[in-house]
Amino acid sequence: MHRTGVGALPLAGVSSPYDPRPYDPHANDPNAYDPSAYDPSAYDPQQSGQQPYQQGYPQQPYQQPYPSAGYPPAGYQPAGYQQWQPPTADQPRRPGLLVTAGVLWLLNGAFLLVFGLITAFADRLPGFEEAMLQSGRQITHEQLLSVGLGGAAFGAVLVGLAIVVLVTGATWARILIMAVAVVPTVFLVVLVVFPLITVAASVLQFLSPVNRYVQARRGRPAG
């Protein structure tokens, strides 16, 4: 008699109903797919007319089709824009003779401007009437005003032209400032200093270094 129950050992020749292998519903099917029989080298996509599969997508650089709202696209430059460049050694350097001539013209113009304004209102200065009585001359207010404002006008023109000469050295400005300075120089010849400054500035502004500088600024070779 055989023992059965918990703890009983199976007898020899008696099969156990428990199978440790996982359940396979196609185990007894002869047409079932067998992954061990698959040969990847037997598949040729070129013979079948299909393109081989390529994993992923081609990388293309990111391009922003439209600029962000309120901001121009990168590298945008408005019409007429020119990037600033520092001065180079090829650019002409302003000669000292031109600077000296311009400063002399400024001194003459400033003196004439101040002298004219003082003359225009000289009758309001203390002691003016007493000085006129001692000299025996009679000068009206209208005469003083016209002479003084005329001299101030010449002085203002000289200052403006002197700035143009000092900055650019333009030929037309150098010629015009000499013509303007002729009239006050004739009237103030007794002052000596004013005429001397006029002559010195006129000579300095037309020397060879100044002429070469002006021609270089125009982009022409110096003659």
Side-chain angles (χ1 to χ4, degrees), residues 199-219:
V199 173
S202 301
V203 173
L204 292 176
Q205 68 179 2
F206 280 103
L207 294 179
S208 298
V210 179
N211 294 331
R212 288 195 298 266
Y213 167 76
V214 175
Q215 292 173 356
R217 282 179 56 91
R218 294 177 181 176

Side-chain angles (χ1 to χ4, degrees), residues 5 10 14 20 22 34 45 64 67 100 103 121 131 133-134 136 177 184 192 217:
V14 179
D34 186 4
Q64 186 176 0
T100 304
V103 171
F121 303 98
L133 292 175
Q134 293 179 357
I177 198 171
V192 180
R217 282 179 56 91

